[in-house]
Amino acid sequence: MSGHFQIVSSRAAIAPIAADMIASAILRDVHSRGTASIMLSGGSTPGATFEALSHYDLPWDKVTIGLVDDRWVPETNKGSNGALIRRTLLRNKAKSATFIPMKTHHDTIQGGLANVAKAYAALSRPYSFVLLGMGPDGHTASWFPKADGLDYALDMNSGAIVAPITANKSPVTGDYLHRMTLTLPAIADARFALLLLTGAEKRVVFEAAQDASLNYPITHAITALGERLTTLYAE
Ligand SMILES: O=C(O)[C@H](O)[C@@H](O)[C@H](O)[C@H](O)COP(=O)(O)O
């Protein structure tokens, strides 16, 4: 299995370990280049990590936070990853960090693309840290299998940082079919990436995703990140 796979005693034990890893990545890059850029996924798993991280005494004024992806809904919607970041991380000691959301005022992903691309082009790369999740369908970010826009999002030659995605409805997507996502080239050179993986069902998919012939979207991230990817797994 490429990268590092760390089995954690419980789901609750993930948050402090993950928060420590993010804090180390921030301190390393603020020390070496004066700033740190951390790119965070949403979903139901990472909230506890963000809440823990918000209490860390770090040089937050030198940290820029971006999203790995977001659903194209206003932050008043319960599915908004931007709202998740504001609710769990942009508080306590971390409130002085700079947050660059993805959702713009535009109604459509196509309408918002130019604004998001411009805003995300300003984030320092390679990213200090990327936090990924994975769905039971083998997606990560918003790289949903067979989604409209997936090929472009995974094109290492596109030069694009962000891409619009329209997923096919599934139990995993729920009603959130229209999304904006970082592309594979955007995260491929990240200095450190962490995948939070919970439950035996996802572990089976993750292990299968080591085989590129099965064409799971997350396999592209696993291959590109190599040793720079650490996976924290809890049953
Ligand atoms: O917007 C999203 O849904 C996330 O960015 C997505 O890529 C997430 O990381 C996985 O779907 C895992 O989500 P859970 O943590 O809820 O299982």
Side-chain angles (χ1 to χ4, degrees), residues 41-46 69 71 81 132-135 139-141 179 202:
S41 286
S44 62
T45 303
D69 66 331
R71 300 81 180 272
N81 290 338
L132 298 174
M134 191 198 80
H139 87 265
T140 194
R179 296 166 171 250
K202 285 189 181 182

Side-chain angles (χ1 to χ4, degrees), residues 9-235:
S9 57
S10 69
R11 297 190 184 193
I14 286 177
I17 297 170
D20 278 353
M21 290 177 171
I22 302 171
S24 299
I26 288 170
L27 289 171
R28 182 197 55 217
D29 274 16
V30 169
H31 176 72
S32 66
R33 65 182 186 186
T35 62
S37 49
I38 62 173
M39 312 304 285
L40 305 176
S41 286
S44 62
T45 303
T49 295
F50 300 153
E51 286 173 352
L53 185 63
S54 75
H55 294 284
Y56 280 54
D57 191 5
L58 298 170
W60 287 108
D61 60 327
K62 295 184 173 59
V63 177
T64 300
I65 300 166
L67 287 168
V68 168
D69 66 331
D70 208 346
R71 300 81 180 272
W72 204 252
V73 294
E75 290 190 2
T76 50
N77 184 299
K78 65 179 174 34
S80 167
N81 290 338
L84 173 72
I85 297 299
R86 294 189 198 278
R87 186 171 64 247
T88 59
L89 181 53
L90 293 179
R91 53 205 285 259
N92 303 317
K93 298 256 175 70
K95 62 179 180 292
S96 59
T98 299
F99 174 49
I100 312 293
M102 274 190 169
K103 177 67 174 68
T104 65
H105 67 277
H106 301 86
D107 292 336
T108 66
I109 47 180
Q110 286 76 14
L113 179 58
N115 287 42
V116 182
K118 183 177 178 185
Y120 273 61
L123 274 77
S124 55
R125 289 185 56 229
Y127 300 134
S128 309
F129 180 90
V130 174
L131 182 73
L132 298 174
M134 191 198 80
D137 58 353
H139 87 265
T140 194
S142 280
W143 311 340
F144 289 92
K146 299 185 174 54
D148 179 49
L150 179 63
D151 290 345
Y152 178 72
L154 296 178
D155 181 356
M156 282 298 288
N157 299 312
S158 73
I161 299 286
V162 295
I165 290 280
T166 300
N168 299 305
K169 185 160 183 154
S170 74
V172 180
T173 64
D175 294 331
Y176 302 111
L177 306 184
H178 303 291
R179 296 166 171 250
M180 197 67 73
T181 188
L182 289 183
T183 63
L184 176 61
I187 72 165
D189 60 354
R191 294 185 167 173
F192 186 90
L194 178 62
L195 170 65
L196 302 185
L197 198 69
T198 57
E201 180 192 12
K202 285 189 181 182
R203 181 174 183 177
V204 168
V205 174
F206 179 72
E207 288 172 350
Q210 309 302 312
D211 175 354
S213 69
L214 298 179
N215 206 27
Y216 283 113
I218 194 169
T219 305
H220 296 271
I222 293 168
T223 304
L225 291 163
E227 289 298 300
R228 286 171 288 121
L229 174 65
T230 291
T231 298
L232 290 183
Y233 171 74
E235 283 284 343

